[in-house]
Amino acid sequence: MVHRALKHFTIHLQTFLISSQLRNNIPITGAFSISSTSNNLKNTVIKNTNNNIMLTRRTPQQVQLEIKDPVDPTALTQAKAILNELRTDSSTQQNACVPEALLTIAHRLGDIPKEGNGSTSYIVSPSQCHVAFDSLTDDERKSLMNIHTRVKFFAEAQRKSVVDMEVDIPGGKAGQSVSPCRAAGCYAPGGRYPLPSSVIMTVVTARAAGCPYVVLATPRPAPITLAAAHVAGADIVLCVGGAQAIGSMAYGVNAMLDEKGDEVIPAVPPCDVIVGPGNKWVTAAKSIVNGYCGIDMLAGPSEVLVIADKTADAVIVAADLIAQAEHDVVARAILVSDSEEIIDAVDKEVTSQVESLPEPNRSTAKEALKQSFSILCKDIDECIAMSDKLAPEHLEIQTANSQEVADRCANYGGLFIGTNCAEVLGDYGAGPNHTLPTGGTGRYTGGLSVFNFLRIRTWMRIDDTKECQEMVEDSVRMARLEGLEGHARAAEARRL
């Protein structure tokens, strides 16, 4: 899941626009463009609406992927203003955030209530997180610990897959060293739903990478979120969100002192890497601080694409599509099949199942389904080609030969093979991370992992000057071919 959170507030990194926008009077400016080769497209959409078809029917030719700017211009301007307000001298990025400024912004934007318990602090202590964990039922604590164990096991296996190494080079040695960043910043949204699973996915992964200090930021944290912070091992919890959270983690926050000079609220160190999805202000702020510190991705609304053939179970496929749609009104649920019968059956199930959801889930899912669609392909080969073109965040394979089909798919964030492998199992900690690339970016990147927190650095050493002479001569010659005389002379200085 892009971390399922994207699911709640984020903007489009690459937006999907389909003809269902026509029926909802939404301007066609997004990233799934409609081919002009279909003269009867609008009539087709109207006909489908009249027939109460939940998933707009499309052909492969009617869907094209386009790229959109991931950062909302208005949010970018607002995020810049917040980041400037956080620091006394915004002309230099060396200044840490002023605690009083952070508290003022948190009060103004509703992260922290102006009155009542906790109104004078933007930090939740480890002891408070422990109390939240103890307040859970036995079953809730067990599930939280189980998820933690599985995510930790997978992340630690990832960490072991890359190691220090060295090889011989002429006259010496060269190698790589793998080490974690000093401090990691993890963001977990706190909007429509609490997301303890996102806390575990980010914080546990940073810990498995070996980061000695982990900061978690999440606005208005629910008890289950604080309990997850305790289990995952966050060193400090900032109960702020939006651009102010990203700025606090990027630049750090000075300690707040009382009139006597005693520390009231501890300092927050600047983080080397910030990960986790959020709303459009989080995305905008991450784009601003990127370079000053590292970020994982600029993520957009969540998506699922299901490849299903005639053997698929329509009840299960529909349930998986709805599970994705309930995340956010801008989520996308896509069905790709070579069987018109299964498309009809799934559509019927979606229409029936969505009405049984409680509110606000039902309204959210129904709005998202207006922008979702099905694609009828001529065969499984075309289904795979369509999926690779869209590079969905989540890709489910529900076919007779699911592993064979999965092996042929190239572009996706996370892959879920077979009817029994529900995407929601990945959301809740089967092991692999649920913070995944959205909007087609799975064509060139993967999801959050320990590698986001690791530095793989190379080194070389020359022990025998005589043995490296051929390498010296090669360097002299190539430097002069490139017109870099200073380089050539530096190499010549190593001649015997």
Side-chain angles (χ1 to χ4, degrees), residues 72-409:
D72 178 79
T74 301
L76 181 63
T77 299
Q78 294 167 335
K80 286 180 179 178
I82 290 173
L83 295 183
N84 289 340
E85 186 180 352
L86 282 171
R87 295 176 294 159
T88 54
D89 182 8
S90 59
S91 64
T92 172
Q93 292 183 318
Q94 300 303 313
N95 286 41
C97 299
V98 178
E100 291 80 6
L102 175 58
L103 193 58
T104 298
I105 294 170
H107 281 155
R108 185 174 72 238
L109 298 181
D111 288 341
I112 303 172
K114 293 184 179 179
E115 296 181 358
N117 185 36
S119 63
T120 60
S121 180
Y122 44 79
I123 283 179
V124 180
S125 68
S127 62
Q128 288 173 291
C129 293
H130 199 164
V131 169
F133 177 75
D134 289 340
S135 72
L136 302 180
T137 66
D138 290 343
D139 286 343
E140 289 168 342
R141 284 195 296 270
K142 180 180 178 182
S143 290
L144 205 55
M145 293 301 296
N146 286 344
I147 293 170
H148 169 268
T149 298
R150 291 190 293 264
V151 173
K152 182 173 181 283
F153 178 79
F154 190 88
E156 289 179 342
Q158 280 187 323
R159 176 62 185 88
K160 292 174 183 176
S161 71
V162 57
V163 296
D164 293 357
M165 65 84 175
E166 66 177 45
V167 298
D168 293 328
I169 61 173
K173 298 281 187 180
Q176 71 176 22
S177 65
V178 185
S179 60
C181 64
R182 179 187 57 85
C186 301
Y187 187 86
R192 185 173 287 120
Y193 312 104
L195 295 173
S197 59
S198 297
V199 173
I200 291 177
M201 291 288 176
T202 53
V203 175
V204 171
T205 304
R207 283 294 190 208
C211 297
Y213 200 90
V214 181
V215 179
L216 170 67
T218 182
R220 303 175 298 281
I224 184 63
T225 304
L226 296 179
H230 168 72
V231 170
D235 290 292
I236 195 168
V237 177
L238 289 169
C239 50
V240 296
Q244 57 273 25
I246 301 303
S248 298
M249 292 190 288
Y251 307 127
V253 185
N254 290 326
M256 180 180 282
L257 308 177
D258 62 16
E259 297 81 0
K260 299 179 180 178
D262 295 328
E263 184 178 276
V264 179
I265 303 177
V268 178
C271 297
D272 302 307
V273 177
I274 297 175
V275 303
N279 61 20
K280 60 184 178 181
W281 294 280
V282 168
T283 301
K286 286 172 74 174
S287 76
I288 295 170
V289 304
N290 185 28
Y292 180 73
C293 62
I295 66 170
D296 53 347
M297 64 185 81
L298 298 175
S302 193
E303 320 130 9
V304 68
L305 187 150
V306 180
I307 295 179
D309 64 11
K310 64 182 181 181
T311 68
D313 187 325
V315 174
I316 290 178
V317 174
D320 289 354
L321 295 175
I322 292 172
Q324 200 66 30
E326 75 170 341
H327 276 304
D328 197 312
V329 295
V330 294
R332 293 289 190 274
I334 306 164
L335 172 62
V336 181
S337 179
D338 62 346
S339 168
E340 187 169 8
E341 289 75 20
I342 197 65
I343 290 178
D344 289 340
V346 169
D347 201 285
K348 183 178 178 180
E349 279 295 330
V350 167
T351 303
S352 173
Q353 291 184 33
V354 74
E355 293 298 337
S356 67
L357 286 177
E359 290 292 1
N361 310 61
R362 179 169 66 250
S363 295
T364 301
K366 291 178 75 171
E367 192 64 29
L369 287 168
K370 292 178 182 178
Q371 302 163 84
S372 300
F373 53 95
S374 61
I375 305 172
L376 178 60
C377 298
K378 62 184 179 182
D379 52 31
I380 289 296
D381 288 345
E382 191 172 44
C383 291
I384 294 171
M386 195 73 247
S387 176
D388 282 347
K389 179 189 290 188
L390 303 182
E393 178 192 6
H394 306 99
L395 173 58
E396 289 191 359
I397 309 297
Q398 298 195 31
T399 62
N401 50 347
S402 56
Q403 185 63 61
E404 179 183 331
V405 173
D407 290 342
R408 295 167 57 197
C409 294

Side-chain angles (χ1 to χ4, degrees), residues 2 13 34 38 41 50 146 175 191 197-198 290 301 327 427 465 478:
V2 182
L13 175 58
I34 307 304
S38 177
L41 177 57
N50 291 338
N146 286 344
S197 59
S198 297
N290 185 28
H327 276 304
D427 284 350
T465 307
M478 187 58 62

